[in-house]
Amino acid sequence: MSRLLMAVTAARLQSGMSSSGKLLFNATRYLCAGKKAPPPPPKAPPPKASKPSTAPKCKPVPPPKPKPGFFPSGGMHAVFSDLPKPEGDFMKEWSAKNSKYSMFMLSGLLALIGSIYLSYMTLELYAGVPEYPYTEEEKEEFEIEEERLQEEKEAREQRHQDAVEAREVAMRARLAKEAMVRESELMNKDMEGGLDDKEAAELQKLAVEREAYAEWEKEEAKRREEKLKEREQIAKEKAKVKAERDKERDMKRKEREKLLEKEEAEREKAREKARKEREKSRKEEEKVKAQEKAEKEKAKKALTA
């Protein structure tokens, strides 16, 4: 009974131990039994390196093409294994494509430069736009319109200046009127009961300003008269210049009309001369034809005779 319990205990211990524990347990049991532990099994020799085969390698068989509606993985829905897988050296492929595209770019630039140079050397390129061939009448109308616009601009500026000056005169007149009312009030107060120092200084200041305004008003009236005379003189000069310009334009217009009449007369004369020459050549042709006809009739009569 004790041997059975020991055997069961040894079996359980052996099943729960690791490989090193089992080896130690077996060695202890053999030593207790008076026997030596068995030698370890001999090690297997290392595998010899296989010689390279000289048989030709088989080409890889390409995978079969998937059926319509199916992916390479065999299903009807794509998975990660159906994605394209990069193969080969990326830098090598990228360098090859970059070199090809660089050659395309350089060839395009050379073609562009060559075409521009060829166009510049062979074609007639105009750097500016030629003037429109206006007639003399049209140019005259343009000048008249430009003068009218200039006169309107000057008149507008003059009206603006007059309005500014009138506004300034009205403002100064209003201030002078208010100062005069204040001065009359202070003078009445001075006559009734007297003024203090501050009011006396104010009255004196208002009197000085009134005198200055009266002097400025005289100078302003004189300046307006001079300005009005100057404007009248400028208007007379402009009218004189305009009359001279109109006279010159009339002379040019008459010269152009005479020139046109002369050219028309020369053309009419040339047409009459050409008509006479055509009439003369026609008469000569008729005369020649009549002579030829007479000769033919004469020859015909001679043959019939």
Side-chain angles (χ1 to χ4, degrees):
M1 188 67 182
S2 60
R3 290 181 180 177
L4 181 60
L5 292 174
M6 290 178 64
V8 172
T9 305
R12 288 184 178 180
L13 288 173
Q14 189 176 2
S15 62
M17 292 182 181
S18 60
S19 58
S20 58
K22 289 180 180 179
L23 180 61
L24 181 60
F25 178 76
N26 292 331
T28 306
R29 189 174 60 176
Y30 275 99
L31 288 174
C32 293
K35 297 180 181 179
K36 295 182 180 180
K43 295 183 179 180
K48 295 182 179 180
S50 60
K51 295 181 180 180
S53 176
T54 57
K57 295 182 179 179
C58 297
K59 294 182 180 180
V61 180
K65 294 183 179 180
K67 296 179 181 180
F70 290 86
F71 288 92
S73 60
M76 298 181 68
H77 300 283
V79 294
F80 280 105
S81 59
D82 296 328
L83 297 175
K85 299 176 183 179
E87 296 178 357
D89 191 355
F90 168 76
M91 287 303 297
K92 187 176 180 181
E93 186 72 17
W94 182 80
S95 299
K97 288 183 178 180
N98 194 21
S99 301
K100 182 175 68 174
Y101 297 151
S102 299
M103 290 299 295
F104 289 163
M105 183 182 68
L106 291 175
S107 60
L109 289 175
L110 292 175
L112 177 62
I113 294 171
S115 60
I116 292 173
Y117 178 76
L118 184 63
S119 301
Y120 179 75
M121 296 299 294
T122 56
L123 302 179
E124 295 181 358
L125 301 177
Y126 296 96
V129 180
E131 294 183 359
Y132 188 80
Y134 293 108
T135 60
E136 296 295 332
E137 290 79 5
E138 290 175 343
K139 290 180 179 179
E140 185 177 347
E141 291 178 359
F142 294 157
E143 290 178 0
I144 294 171
E145 183 66 19
E146 188 176 356
E147 291 174 3
R148 186 184 66 79
L149 294 175
Q150 184 66 24
E151 290 176 358
E152 290 182 356
K153 182 180 178 182
E154 291 177 357
R156 189 166 54 251
E157 291 177 353
Q158 185 175 348
R159 288 195 300 270
H160 176 70
Q161 186 177 1
D162 293 342
V164 171
E165 292 178 356
R167 193 182 303 113
E168 184 180 356
V169 170
M171 183 179 65
R172 296 194 69 168
R174 179 175 57 81
L175 295 175
K177 187 176 180 180
E178 293 176 357
M180 192 178 296
V181 172
R182 177 62 177 167
E183 186 179 2
S184 62
E185 290 178 358
L186 292 175
M187 289 175 68
N188 293 331
K189 188 176 179 181
D190 187 16
M191 292 173 63
E192 290 175 358
L195 300 174
D196 56 2
D197 295 340
K198 185 176 181 181
E199 290 175 346
E202 185 180 358
L203 181 61
Q204 187 178 1
K205 181 180 178 183
L206 290 172
V208 172
E209 289 178 356
R210 177 169 49 80
E211 293 175 359
Y213 174 74
E215 186 179 354
W216 174 83
E217 191 174 9
K218 291 179 182 178
E219 292 178 357
E220 183 67 18
K222 186 178 179 181
R223 187 185 67 81
R224 284 183 181 179
E225 291 177 0
E226 292 177 355
K227 189 174 182 180
L228 184 60
K229 291 180 181 179
E230 185 180 357
R231 286 181 179 177
E232 290 177 355
Q233 186 178 359
I234 291 172
K236 288 180 181 180
E237 291 178 356
K238 286 184 178 179
K240 185 178 179 180
V241 172
K242 186 177 180 181
E244 292 177 356
R245 194 182 297 116
D246 292 340
K247 186 178 179 181
E248 186 179 356
R249 286 171 181 167
D250 291 337
M251 291 178 61
K252 288 182 179 179
R253 190 181 300 110
K254 290 178 180 179
E255 289 177 358
R256 286 198 302 269
E257 290 177 357
K258 288 181 181 180
L259 183 61
L260 290 174
E261 290 177 358
K262 186 178 179 180
E263 290 177 355
E264 185 65 24
E266 290 178 356
R267 285 195 294 268
E268 186 64 27
K269 188 176 180 181
R271 285 195 293 267
E272 186 66 21
K273 185 177 180 181
R275 186 179 61 78
K276 289 180 179 180
E277 289 178 356
R278 286 196 303 270
E279 187 69 20
K280 185 178 179 180
S281 62
R282 185 178 63 80
K283 288 181 179 180
E284 289 179 355
E285 288 177 359
E286 289 179 356
K287 187 177 180 180
V288 170
K289 287 181 180 179
Q291 289 178 0
E292 290 178 355
K293 188 176 181 182
E295 289 177 358
K296 286 181 181 180
E297 289 178 357
K298 187 177 179 181
K300 189 177 180 181
K301 288 179 181 180
L303 290 173
T304 53

